[in-house]
C-alpha cells in the first residue's frame, strides 16, 4: 500500500470512518464483559412531588432481580452538577421532573430488569408542578428547590452597556419584538449507555458515552463518596453527543450499581424513550428585544431581556444563560443598552448544553430584529449589517474589545458576491402558482472556550512506540466531530510521518491526560495547541538523539522524514524504530500543556457572571443565506438553498470543516421548522421519534459552505472553533426568508405550516 | 418471548391459526412490531406470512389487476403493471415511509392496519378496490370501504386473512394525483392527504372525477355528492371554490399531536386547488 502523507489544509479521510461504517469500531454499547448483569432506573414519571417511600419488596421477589438500590445506598453527597450541584443521583427528598431517578434495579437479564422496574413501588405526594417560566416567576409559585435563596431563579444577571437605557431616547428608529424558541432534543444515534465493574482493589472502571471523562470522574466520586483515584473512565468511540453528554448521564448510576454487584460487570443502556425522558435539552427561551438606530442606520441601543427554562437543575443552565447574554447583540457594534437575563427553575425536562449553547437562541432574536429594523428604515438588510458589523479593535455589545481575528465583514462581503445573493431577484420572479418565495440572511458570532475564570487547558501526550510509530493520547473526546483526525494531522504533518505511523489512544482517565470537555468549540483549538507543543518537543528530542548517536554536534542539521531521521548534509539516516529501541520509556513520551488566553476586559463587576463565562476572547463568525418557498395551500416551507460563509480560522481539513457546517445547519433547520420537544404541565408529549420530528435528508436543501480561511494567530495552524457556529444561522435566516416571502415575521419556533396559514389567512378560492 | 411461526403453505397457516386462537399474523411487521414494542406483555404466538408466496406479486387479466396482500411497497413501485395503470398508487407509495419501510411494509399490512393516514388507502378507495379475504374453507370479496370499519378496525375474523386486492381496469383516467401533507417529507404520518382520479375535457371542464381524503375522519372519506357536483364544472379557481367549502364542511377531522382539526379541515379543501395544474 502506498503510504499516505499527512498535510494540514487538505482532506484526510477520517481514519475511523471505515471502521465505523463497517461496524468494527467499538462504542460503549459494544462492551459487555463476562457474566455481566443489567442495571436500570425506575423513573419518577410525575413532574413534582415528595418522595415518601420506595417499596422494593415486590421487585426483589421478581426472579432474576438481584437487588434494588435507593438513595439510602449512596454514601456521598448524592448530588451532581457542573457549577451548582443540585441534581440527585437517586431522589432523596423531592421529585423535580418526570425523568428523575428514584431507584436502581440490578437484574440477571433484560426481561427480569423490565419486570423488576415495574414492580418497584413509589409512594409519592404530588405537588403542583411549576410548568413554565412565567408561572415560576410569579410570587407565590411553588418552589422547585425550597432552599434556593432566589426562589425559582437559578441565576440572574444584568449588564449595563454605555449609557444604558438613557440612550433609548437618542434613537431615531426603534423596533421592539418578543421571540420565543422551543426545547430541542439532541437525538444522537447512540443513546446514553455504559458498562462498569468494581475490581478487587476497590477501583471502579466505567466505559461510557460521555463528552467529559475527567470531570465525570470527580463528579461521580463526590456524589458517591469515593476517591476520584478509584474511578477510571474510558470513552471509546461515541455515537454523537452535541452537548447532551456534557455532564453526567449513566456514570454515577453505573458506579453505584458496580458497588453492589459483587464484582460482576454491570451494563446500562437507555432506550430512546428513556433518553428522551431523562436527558438534557436545549433550553426554551423567551426574549424581549428593543433595538434602536440613528437615521443613517448606525445601531445605537439595544435592550435585551432573556429568560431560560432550565428545568429542575442547573446542569449547565447558568453557563448557557451567560453565553446567551454575551452574544445577545450579535456581531455588531452597539454602544448602549442593557442586558438582563434570568435562568429559571421549573419542573420541565432538564435544560442543558446543546450545540449553540444559548447563542442559538439570542442570535435568532437579534437577527430577526435586524430585519425588522431594516424594513422599518427602508434600508437594505445586508447594508445594515455591513454598516454595523464588528471589526478588530471594536468592542462587542458586552464591551469586550476584539483582539483576535474578526472576519464578519469578509463573511458578509463574500456573501454579497455569491451567486445566490446576486440571483435572488430572478429566483423570486420565477415563483410558481400558489407559492411565495423569499430570501433571508443572517450574521452570527460564536465564542469558543470557557471564559475568563474557569481554566481552559489541555495536556497532550505523545509517545514514540518501539514500532517507530507515534501514539497520540487524546484527552478530548471525539463524539463524531473529527477532532481525532485533526490530532493525527497535527502530529503527522509536524513530524512528517504518514498515516500508517499514527496511532491514537481514545480518552481514558488512566492513560490520557486531563484536557477539559469536548465542548465549547474548543477541542481542536485547545488540545491542538497543546499537541503542537508536544510534537515540537518530540521532534527536537528525536533529532537530538539522532545527532548524539551519529556523534554530530548540531541537531539542527537533522530532519524527520517518513519512518526515519536524516542528517541532511550527509544523507545518513536512522530509522525511528532503531531510535525507539535505545530510548528509555520515559524519554519516549512527551507531554505538553496549553492554556487558552482569556479576556482581561472588565465588562462586568458581577463575579458570578464572570464565573459563568463572561466575556470570551476568541470568536468565530458566519454569514448565512437561504432561499425558501412557502406553499399557500398548505403553509409548508421548503428550503431550496442554503449558504454559509464562515470565518472559523484556517481550515485544517476541508472535508471535516464542511461536515461540521452541514451537520450544524441540519440541526438548526430542525429548530427552525420541525423539532419541538413539547410538554404539558411538566409531562412530555413528544415521547419518541414518531412524534418528535427531526428533519430527514428529504427536508434538507443543498448546503453550500464557503470557508474564508482567515488565519487566527493564536490558533493551531491558524484554526478557530467550528463546532457550533453553523447551528445558529438557520432559525433567523429561515424566519427572515419567510418574512421576505410573506411579510410576516414569525416570533415563535418551530415555524409550522399551521402558524403560516394562520398568519397568511389568505382566501385562495376568492 | 413469543413463538413465531413461518408457514410456507396455506394449509400450514390454517392449521396454526386453528390451534392458536390467540395467534397474531403479520407481514412486514412495520406496524405490528412497533405496536408490540411499547407493550409490556407480548402475544404468545406470532405468525409471519412472508413465506406464503401465493400472496405475493401483481397480476392482470383483461379486466382486473390483482395485487397479492404480501406484496411490498417496493415491489409495487417496481412493477410494470402498476407503473402502467395505477399511477395513483405509485404516487402514494413513493411518499410512504422511507426506503427501508417500503422494502418491508406490505399492501395488506397497510390495509389491515386501517389507519386513516395509511397512504395506499385513499388511492384504493377511488380505484373502487375489492378485497379478497381467505380462510380455510372459503374466499369472500368485500369493497375496501366496507372492510375498513374505523381506525384499526377491520371486518376480519380469526382464521381469515387478507389475500389480495382486486382493481378494475376501466374506466381510464388521465389524471392520477396524490398529495400528502406531512410534517416533513419522509417518515411522516400524513396530516391530510387527497387522492384524485380525473378526466378533463378539451374545453377545460371536469368530465369525470373521484376524490378521497385521508386523515380527516375515522376512515378515508369519499363524498359522492362532491364528485357529482364537480362533473361539468370548469377546472378554474371559480369552478372549484364551492366544492372547497363543501369539503370543509363534510370532513370530520380531529385534533392530535400532529395538527389541529381546524388546519386539517382548511387544507383538505384547499388541496383541490392543486388540480388546477392539470387544466387545459
Ligand atoms: C418508521 C415508519 C414509517 C411509516 N410511514 C408510513 C407512511 O408514510 N405511510 C403509511 O401508510 N404507513 C407508514 N408506516 C406504517 C406501515 O409501514 C405500513 O402501514 C405498512 O404498509 C404495514 O405493512 P406491514 O406488512 O409491515 O404490516 P404488519 O406490521 O406486518 O401488519 C400490520 C397489521 O396488519 C395485519 N396484517 C398484515 N398482513 C395481513 C394479512 N395479509 N392478512 C391479515 N392481516 C394482516 C397484522 O396482523 C397487523 O395487525 C410507517 C411505519 C414505520 C415504522
Amino acid at each position: 500500500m502506498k503510504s499516505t502523507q499527512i498535510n494540514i489544509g487538505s482532506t484526510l479521510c477520517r481514519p475511523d470512518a471505515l471502521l465505523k461504517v463497517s461496524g468494527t469500531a467499538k462504542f460503549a454499547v459494544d462492551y459487555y464483559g463476562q457474566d455481566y448483569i443489567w442495571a436500570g432506573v425506575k423513573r419518577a414519571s410525575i413532574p413534582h412531588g415528595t418522595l415518601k417511600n420506595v417499596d422494593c419488596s415486590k421487585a426483589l421477589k421478581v426472579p432474576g432481580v438481584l437487588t434494588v438500590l435507593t438513595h439510602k445506598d449512596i454514601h456521598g453527597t448524592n448530588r451532581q452538577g457542573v457549577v451548582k450541584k443540585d441534581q440527585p443521583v437517586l431522589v432523596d427528598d423531592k421529585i423535580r421532573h418526570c425523568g428523575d431517578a428514584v431507584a436502581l434495579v440490578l437484574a440477571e437479564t433484560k426481561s427480569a430488569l423490565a419486570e423488576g422496574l415495574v414492580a418497584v413501588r413509589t409512594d409519592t405526594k404530588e405537588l403542583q408542578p411549576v410548568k413554565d417560566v412565567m408561572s415560576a416567576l410569579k410570587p407565590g409559585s411553588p418552589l422547585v428547590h425550597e432552599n434556593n435563596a432566589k426562589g425559582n431563579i437559578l441565576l440572574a444577571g444584568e449588564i449595563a452597556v454605555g449609557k444604558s437605557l438613557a440612550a433609548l431616547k437618542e434613537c431615531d428608529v426603534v423596533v421592539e419584538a418578543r421571540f420565543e424558541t422551543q426545547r430541542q432534543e439532541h437525538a444522537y444515534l447512540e443513546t446514553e449507555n455504559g458498562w462498569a465493574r468494581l475490581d478487587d482493589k476497590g477501583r471502579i472502571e466505567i466505559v461510557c458515552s460521555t463528552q467529559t471523562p475527567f470531570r465525570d470522574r470527580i463528579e461521580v466520586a463526590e456524589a458517591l463518596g469515593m476517591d476520584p483515584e478509584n474511578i477510571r473512565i474510558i470513552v471509546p468511540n461515541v455515537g454523537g453527543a452535541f452537548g447532551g453528554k456534557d455532564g453526567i448521564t449513566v456514570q454515577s448510576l453505573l458506579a453505584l450499581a458496580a458497588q453492589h454487584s459483587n464484582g460482576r460487570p454491570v451494563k446500562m443502556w437507555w432506550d430512546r424513550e428513556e433518553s428522551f425522558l431523562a436527558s438534557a435539552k436545549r433550553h426554551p427561551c423567551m426574549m424581549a428585544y428593543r433595538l434602536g438606530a440613528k437615521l443613517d442606520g448606525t445601531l445605537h441601543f439595544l435592550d435585551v431581556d432573556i429568560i431560560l427554562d432550565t428545568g429542575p437543575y442547573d446542569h449547565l443552565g447558568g453557563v448557557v444563560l451567560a453565553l446567551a447574554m454575551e452574544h445577545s447583540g450579535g456581531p455588531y457594534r452597539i454602544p448602549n443598552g442593557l442586558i438582563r437575563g434570568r435562568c429559571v427553575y421549573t419542573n420541565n425536562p432538564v435544560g442543558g448544553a446543546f450545540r449553540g449553547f444559548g447563542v442559538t437562541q439570542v442570535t435568532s432574536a437579534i437577527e430577526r430584529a435586524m430585519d425588522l429594523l431594516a424594513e422599518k428604515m427602508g434600508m437594505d438588510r445586508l447594508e445594515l449589517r455591513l454598516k454595523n458589523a464588528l471589526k478588530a479593535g471594536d468592542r462587542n455589545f458586552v464591551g469586550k474589545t476584539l483582539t483576535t481575528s474578526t472576519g464578519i465583514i469578509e463573511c458578509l462581503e463574500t456573501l454579497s458576491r455569491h451567486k445566490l445573493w446576486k440571483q435572488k431577484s430572478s429566483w423570486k420572479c420565477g415563483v410558481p402558482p400558489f407559492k411565495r418565495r423569499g430570501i433571508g440572511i443572517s450574521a452570527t458570532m460564536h465564542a469558543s472556550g470557557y471564559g475568563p475564570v474557569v481554566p481552559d487547558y489541555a495536556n497532550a501526550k505523545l509517545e514514540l512506540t518501539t514500532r517507530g510509530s507515534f501514539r497520540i493520547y487524546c484527552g478530548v473526546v471525539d463524539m463524531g466531530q473529527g477532532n481525532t483526525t485533526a490530532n493525527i494531522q497535527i502530529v503527522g504533518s509536524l513530524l512528517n510521518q504518514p498515516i500508517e505511523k499514527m496511532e491514537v489512544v481514545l480518552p481514558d482517565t488512566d492513560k490520557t491526560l486531563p484536557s477539559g470537555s469536548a465542548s465549547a468549540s474548543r477541542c481542536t483549538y485547545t488540545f491542538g495547541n497543546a499537541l503542537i507543543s508536544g510534537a515540537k518537543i518530540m521532534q527536537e528530542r528525536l533529532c537530538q538523539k539522532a545527532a548524539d548517536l551519529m556523534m554530530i554536534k548540531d541537531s539542527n542539521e537533522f530532519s524527520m522524514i517518513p519512518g526515519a531521521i536524516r542528517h541532511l548534509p550527509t544523507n545518513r539516516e536512522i530509522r525511528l524504530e532503531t531510535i525507539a529501541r535505545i530510548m528509555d520509556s520515559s524519554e519516549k513520551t512527551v507531554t505538553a500543556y496549553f492554556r487558552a488566553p482569556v479576556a482581561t476586559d472588565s465588562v462586568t463587576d458581577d463575579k458570578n457572571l464572570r464565573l459563568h463565562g463572561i466575556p470570551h476572547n476568541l470568536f468565530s463568525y458566519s454569514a448565512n443565506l437561504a432561499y425558501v418557498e412557502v406553499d399557500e395551500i398548505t403553509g409548508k416551507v421548503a428550503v431550496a438553498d442554503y449558504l454559509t460563509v464562515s470565518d472559523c480560522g484556517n481550515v485544517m481539513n476541508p472535508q471535516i470543516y464542511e461536515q461540521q457546517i452541514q451537520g450544524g445547519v441540519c440541526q438548526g433547520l430542525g429548530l427552525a421548522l420541525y423539532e419541538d420537544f413539547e410538554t404539558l404541565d411538566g409531562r412530555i408529549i413528544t415521547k419518541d421519534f414518531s412524534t418528535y420530528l427531526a428533519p430527514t435528508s428529504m427536508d434538507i436543501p443543498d448546503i453550500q459552505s464557503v470557508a474564508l480561511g482567515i488565519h487566527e494567530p493564536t490558533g493551531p495552524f491558524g484554526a478557530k472553533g467550528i463546532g457550533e457556529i453553523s447551528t445558529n444561522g438557520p432559525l433567523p435566516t429561515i424566519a427572515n426568508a419567510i418574512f421576505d416571502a410573506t411579510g410576516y415575521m414569525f416570533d415563535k419556533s418551530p415555524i409550522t405550516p399551521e402558524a403560516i396559514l394562520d398568519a397568511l389567512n389568505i382566501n385562495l378560492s376568492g | 418471548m413469543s413463538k413465531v411461526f413461518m408457514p410456507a403453505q396455506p394449509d400450514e397457516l390454517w392449521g396454526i391459526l386453528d390451534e392458536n386462537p390467540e395467534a397474531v399474523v403479520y407481514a412486514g411487521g412495520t406496524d405490528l412490531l412497533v405496536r408490540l414494542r411499547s407493550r409490556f406483555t407480548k402475544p404468545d404466538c406470532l405468525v409471519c406470512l412472508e413465506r406464503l408466496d401465493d400472496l405475493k406479486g401483481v397480476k392482470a387479466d383483461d379486466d382486473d389487476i390483482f395485487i397479492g396482500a404480501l406484496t411490498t411497497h417496493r415491489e409495487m413501485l417496481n412493477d410494470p403493471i402498476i407503473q402502467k395503470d395505477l399511477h395513483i398508487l405509485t404516487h402514494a407509495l413513493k411518499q410512504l415511509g422511507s426506503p427501508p419501510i417500503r422494502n418491508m411494509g406490505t399492501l395488506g399490512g397497510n390495509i389491515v392496519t386501517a389507519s386513516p393516514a395509511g397512504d395506499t388507502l385513499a388511492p384504493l378507495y377511488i380505484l373502487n378496490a375489492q378485497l379478497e379475504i381467505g380462510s380455510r374453507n372459503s374466499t369472500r370479496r368485500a369493497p375496501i370501504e366496507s372492510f375498513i370499519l374505523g381506525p384499526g378496525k377491520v371486518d376480519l375474523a380469526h382464521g381469515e386473512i387478507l389475500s389480495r386486492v382486486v382493481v378494475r381496469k376501466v374506466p381510464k383516467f388521465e389524471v392520477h394525483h396524490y398529495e400528502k401533507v406531512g410534517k416533513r417529507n419522509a417518515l411522516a404520518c400524513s396530516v391530510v392527504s387527497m387522492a384524485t382520479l380525473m378526466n378533463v375535457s378539451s374545453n377545460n371542464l371536469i368530465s369525470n372525477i373521484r376524490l378521497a381524503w385521508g386523515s380527516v375522519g375515522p376512515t378515508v372519506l369519499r363524498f359522492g355528492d362532491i364528485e357529482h357536483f364537480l362533473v361539468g364544472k370548469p377546472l378554474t379557481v371559480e369552478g372549484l371554490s364551492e366544492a372547497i367549502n363543501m369539503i370543509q364542511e363534510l370532513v370530520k377531522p380531529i385534533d392530535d399531536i400532529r395538527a389541529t382539526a381546524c388546519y386539517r379541515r382548511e387544507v383538505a379543501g384547499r388541496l383541490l386547488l392543486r388540480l388546477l395544474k392539470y387544466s387545459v
Side-chain angles (χ1 to χ4, degrees):
Chain A
M1 208 176 90
K2 245 183 71 191
S3 74
T4 346
Q5 196 180 318
I6 297 177
N7 297 308
I8 295 286
S10 60
T11 288
L12 169 69
C13 180
R14 301 161 180 244
D16 50 344
L18 183 61
L19 300 177
K20 283 178 180 167
V21 296
S22 60
T24 30
K26 280 204 169 192
F27 294 79
V29 287
D30 297 315
Y31 291 79
Y32 289 86
Q34 282 250 308
D35 200 25
Y36 71 96
I37 60 174
W38 286 94
V41 182
K42 177 77 181 180
R43 302 273 169 198
S45 54
I46 58 168
H48 198 191
T50 6
L51 181 65
K52 292 198 278 192
N53 185 37
V54 182
D55 177 5
C56 311
S57 56
K58 271 216 180 104
L60 286 168
K61 286 192 196 115
V62 172
V65 167
L66 299 169
T67 180
V68 181
L69 304 169
T70 66
H71 69 92
K72 292 183 187 135
D73 300 292
I74 295 176
H75 304 298
T77 60
N78 189 21
R79 285 296 178 276
Q80 318 171 101
V82 180
V83 179
K84 182 167 180 175
K85 299 197 188 297
D86 55 6
Q87 180 168 13
V89 179
L90 291 174
V91 171
D92 46 17
D93 53 351
K94 252 182 71 175
I95 289 162
R96 296 188 176 86
H97 79 122
C98 289
D100 261 337
V102 291
L104 184 63
V105 177
L106 273 57
E108 291 284 354
T109 62
K110 245 183 154 170
S111 50
L113 176 64
E115 218 176 310
L117 286 171
V118 174
V120 173
R121 297 268 159 239
T122 53
D123 182 8
T124 55
K125 182 171 166 279
E126 273 211 56
L127 299 169
Q128 190 194 335
V130 182
K131 60 182 181 178
D132 56 42
V133 290
M134 281 313 168
S135 46
L137 291 171
K138 281 205 187 104
S141 161
L143 295 176
V144 179
H145 296 271
E146 281 72 12
N147 49 11
N148 185 48
K150 287 172 287 179
N152 282 327
I153 295 181
L154 162 68
L155 178 70
E158 196 173 302
I159 299 176
V161 179
K163 296 182 232 166
S164 190
L165 293 178
L168 174 63
K169 58 179 186 304
E170 299 167 0
C171 298
D172 297 317
V173 195
V174 176
V175 290
E176 199 169 335
R178 287 171 180 276
F179 302 99
E180 210 177 310
T181 59
Q182 75 277 33
R183 182 178 294 107
Q184 188 180 21
E185 156 66 32
H186 306 79
Y188 21 75
L189 275 181
E190 184 197 24
T191 55
E192 298 76 357
N193 76 93
W195 174 98
R197 190 171 56 100
L198 177 74
D199 70 17
D200 42 21
K201 294 186 196 74
R203 276 195 102 208
I204 293 182
E205 188 178 299
I206 305 173
V207 179
C208 64
S209 188
T210 176
Q211 293 171 245
T212 47
F214 288 92
R215 198 179 70 208
D216 294 352
R217 182 166 66 156
I218 296 166
E219 267 188 75
V220 173
E222 212 173 296
L224 301 187
M226 293 179 66
D227 178 352
E229 285 291 319
N230 276 337
I231 296 170
R232 174 182 182 186
I233 298 204
I234 301 169
V235 194
N237 290 292
V238 175
F242 312 113
K245 296 171 186 169
D246 184 348
I248 297 285
T249 59
V250 295
Q251 294 85 323
S252 304
L253 294 161
L254 272 173
L256 177 64
Q259 287 177 335
H260 294 87
S261 69
N262 295 321
R264 292 174 70 183
V266 187
K267 190 171 173 69
M268 179 183 289
W269 189 355
W270 298 357
D271 62 16
R272 183 63 61 185
E273 289 83 348
E274 187 172 15
S275 173
F276 269 33
L277 175 64
S279 72
K281 314 281 181 262
R282 186 189 301 288
H283 293 85
C285 186
M286 299 174 69
M287 297 160 281
Y289 267 64
R290 277 194 297 176
L291 178 64
K294 295 286 193 185
L295 263 187
D296 66 351
T298 307
L299 296 179
H300 188 67
F301 168 81
L302 175 62
D303 175 22
V304 178
D305 190 0
I306 305 165
I307 308 177
L308 291 180
D309 177 351
T310 198
Y313 304 118
D314 178 3
H315 202 276
L316 283 156
V319 191
V320 170
L321 176 70
L323 205 70
M325 291 172 69
E326 186 179 352
H327 289 75
S328 57
Y332 306 112
R333 270 181 316 277
I334 310 175
N336 310 293
L338 183 64
I339 312 170
R340 280 171 289 194
R342 281 167 288 177
C343 194
V344 178
Y345 285 129
T346 65
N347 295 114
N348 282 323
V350 185
F354 193 147
R355 191 180 202 174
F357 210 84
V359 184
T360 307
Q361 289 93 320
V362 293
T363 303
S364 80
I366 180 71
E367 285 305 293
R368 280 181 277 187
M370 286 296 277
D371 266 33
L372 291 171
L373 184 67
E375 155 97 358
K376 191 161 181 181
M377 301 189 73
M379 208 172 156
D380 179 75
R381 308 169 267 176
L382 185 56
E383 201 182 302
L384 177 68
R385 287 179 168 85
L386 270 167
K387 190 176 181 76
N388 294 286
L390 291 164
K391 302 187 296 291
D394 284 345
R395 269 175 295 145
N396 68 10
F397 184 41
V398 83
K400 153 89 189 111
T401 297
L402 298 173
T403 55
T404 51
S405 55
T406 307
I408 186 60
I409 291 180
E410 286 90 325
C411 288
L412 288 164
E413 282 173 346
T414 305
L415 182 145
S416 75
R417 290 190 298 269
H418 195 278
K419 67 171 197 300
L420 285 175
W421 179 252
K422 291 192 159 161
Q423 293 169 359
K424 62 182 194 303
S425 308
S426 62
W427 184 73
K428 274 179 82 167
C429 286
V431 60
F434 300 117
K435 305 277 182 189
R436 297 193 190 181
R437 286 179 168 181
I439 285 98
I441 58 168
S442 71
T444 76
M445 71 189 293
H446 198 107
S448 53
Y450 294 157
V453 180
V454 177
D456 185 351
Y457 68 90
N459 288 292
K461 178 173 159 188
L462 185 61
E463 180 188 355
L464 174 65
T465 72
T466 46
R467 290 179 43 239
S469 60
F470 292 94
R471 188 173 289 151
I472 307 165
Y473 290 82
C474 304
V476 182
V477 174
D478 180 348
M479 52 275 192
Q481 73 273 44
N483 47 321
T484 302
T485 308
N487 294 342
I488 290 172
Q489 284 181 281
I490 289 170
V491 176
S493 70
L494 285 174
L495 301 185
N496 201 10
Q497 299 302 310
I499 183 86
E500 295 73 26
K501 293 281 179 192
M502 295 293 132
E503 292 175 23
V504 292
V505 176
L506 296 181
D508 174 340
T509 53
D510 269 12
K511 292 182 177 167
T512 63
L513 303 179
S515 297
S517 57
S519 68
S521 301
R522 67 180 285 278
C523 304
T524 300
Y525 182 83
T526 309
F527 191 78
N529 267 324
L531 197 55
I532 288 175
S533 308
K536 286 183 175 158
I537 298 169
M538 179 64 88
Q539 178 176 26
E540 278 166 29
R541 192 176 288 176
L542 294 181
C543 289
Q544 186 60 58
K545 205 78 188 174
D548 293 347
L549 282 169
M550 292 188 198
M551 293 191 282
I552 289 168
K553 260 212 198 104
D554 188 358
S555 67
N556 287 324
E557 293 174 4
F558 287 80
S559 238
M560 294 194 63
I561 59 168
I565 292 169
R566 182 178 288 169
H567 182 236
L568 298 177
T570 61
N571 280 330
R572 281 161 64 206
E573 284 176 15
I574 179 160
R575 305 285 312 158
L576 287 173
E577 48 273 41
T578 315
I579 293 201
R581 242 175 272 132
I582 58 167
M583 282 170 86
D584 180 75
S585 65
S586 62
E587 292 176 298
K588 283 190 291 196
T589 303
V590 304
T591 62
Y593 170 82
F594 174 77
R595 181 165 176 159
V598 294
T600 52
D601 316 57
S602 53
V603 301
T604 169
D605 299 331
D606 186 332
K607 282 211 183 82
N608 214 9
L609 286 182
R610 286 175 59 78
L611 173 70
H612 282 82
I614 297 179
H616 285 72
N617 191 50
L618 179 68
F619 303 91
S620 295
Y621 298 88
S622 84
N624 310 282
L625 177 153
Y627 278 21
V628 309
E629 200 171 83
V630 178
D631 185 57
E632 295 180 335
I633 293 178
T634 62
K636 278 182 81 167
V637 173
V639 183
D641 271 292
Y642 193 94
L643 166 72
T644 290
V645 182
S646 55
D647 159 31
C648 301
N650 203 19
V651 180
M652 293 176 61
N653 185 321
Q655 187 180 63
I656 292 179
Y657 188 106
E658 183 166 351
Q659 288 166 340
Q660 283 297 300
I661 297 286
Q662 299 250 355
V665 169
C666 293
Q667 269 173 325
L669 288 172
L671 189 74
L673 295 172
Y674 305 98
E675 298 176 42
D676 194 358
F677 197 89
E678 293 180 68
T679 58
L680 183 67
D681 297 336
R683 289 172 203 269
I684 296 166
I685 300 173
T686 48
K687 295 182 174 158
D688 58 35
F689 277 137
S690 70
T691 47
Y692 184 81
L693 302 183
T696 70
S697 59
M698 301 294 285
D699 304 291
I700 298 297
D702 269 352
I703 300 167
Q704 298 184 51
S705 157
V706 175
L708 294 183
I710 297 169
H711 185 91
E712 162 52 39
T714 69
F717 296 99
K720 294 196 282 195
I722 171 75
E724 296 173 273
I725 182 127
S726 59
T727 319
N728 303 331
L731 173 51
T733 313
I734 301 299
N736 288 342
I738 297 174
F739 180 47
D740 185 41
T742 66
Y744 198 92
M745 182 62 89
F746 287 86
D747 50 13
K748 273 204 186 83
S749 50
I751 305 170
T752 63
E754 281 204 63
I756 290 177
L757 273 202
D758 267 1
L760 295 184
N761 197 18
I762 26 171
N763 190 347
L764 299 172
S765 43
Chain B
M1 283 277 227
S2 315
K3 272 183 289 186
V4 181
F5 291 99
M6 303 189 82
Q9 298 301 330
D11 279 349
E12 230 183 298
L13 169 69
W14 309 130
I16 295 164
L17 292 181
D18 283 349
E19 280 159 33
N20 299 280
E22 305 295 315
V24 176
V25 304
Y26 71 101
T30 59
D31 271 320
L32 185 79
L33 299 185
V34 175
R35 264 182 272 144
L36 291 188
R37 182 175 182 272
S38 57
R39 261 188 243 165
F40 193 65
T41 48
K42 313 278 185 248
D44 286 342
C45 169
L46 292 173
V47 184
C48 174
L49 303 177
E50 74 175 19
R51 294 190 183 168
L52 294 165
D53 290 339
D54 292 353
L55 303 183
K56 290 182 195 164
V58 183
K59 281 192 296 228
D61 61 20
D62 290 346
D63 302 326
D64 294 307
I65 297 168
F66 305 89
I67 312 170
L70 266 281
T71 315
T72 66
H73 304 310
R74 166 55 41 205
E75 285 160 352
M76 286 190 282
L77 280 168
N78 289 349
D79 188 87
I81 299 171
I82 292 191
Q83 284 172 4
K84 180 165 160 288
D85 286 328
L86 300 181
H87 296 148
I88 182 73
L89 208 49
T90 317
H91 295 320
L93 291 169
K94 278 187 183 152
Q95 298 180 59
L96 192 154
S98 62
I101 295 295
R102 294 195 285 270
N103 286 339
M104 292 301 291
T106 64
L107 184 62
N110 203 237
I111 296 170
V112 178
T113 288
S115 156
D119 278 306
T120 67
L121 303 186
L124 292 176
Y125 271 64
I126 55 171
L127 288 167
N128 291 338
Q130 295 274 324
L131 308 183
E132 256 181 37
I133 295 128
S135 57
R136 188 193 277 283
N137 298 318
S138 66
T139 301
R140 64 180 172 100
R141 267 202 192 191
I144 186 162
E145 63 273 17
S146 63
F147 178 76
I148 294 180
L149 305 171
K153 281 205 210 95
V154 291
D155 174 18
L156 196 70
H158 183 77
E160 284 188 323
I161 61 155
L162 174 61
S163 43
R164 37 178 210 174
V165 176
V166 187
V167 177
R168 293 248 103 172
K169 280 184 171 172
V170 285
K172 290 245 184 280
F173 289 93
E174 289 298 318
V175 172
H176 287 222
H177 172 87
Y178 184 75
E179 179 162 354
K180 169 179 182 172
V181 182
K183 292 186 83 180
R184 62 183 172 194
N185 292 332
L187 288 168
C189 183
S190 90
V191 164
V192 194
S193 64
M194 186 185 80
T196 312
L197 293 170
M198 177 173 71
N199 285 317
V200 184
S201 67
S202 55
N203 53 354
N204 200 34
L205 299 180
I206 297 171
S207 55
N208 197 359
I209 189 164
R210 295 181 188 170
L211 292 159
W213 285 265
S215 302
V216 284
T219 62
V220 163
L221 298 179
R222 202 179 151 180
F223 307 110
D225 288 356
I226 289 178
E227 291 176 11
H228 288 137
F229 175 81
L230 281 169
V231 172
K233 295 282 181 309
L235 190 52
T236 58
V237 173
E238 299 72 40
L240 298 178
S241 65
E242 205 175 328
I244 292 176
N245 292 333
M246 289 166 72
I247 296 162
Q248 289 170 341
E249 273 169 29
L250 286 170
V251 294
K252 301 185 200 68
I254 52 161
D255 288 317
D256 71 10
I257 187 153
R258 293 188 179 87
T260 60
C262 176
Y263 176 79
R264 294 176 204 261
R265 174 174 292 116
E266 180 68 29
V267 174
R270 286 170 176 240
L271 284 180
L272 212 55
L273 292 168
R274 209 75 85 188
L275 300 179
L276 293 175
K277 70 179 176 192
Y278 305 104
S279 54
V280 288

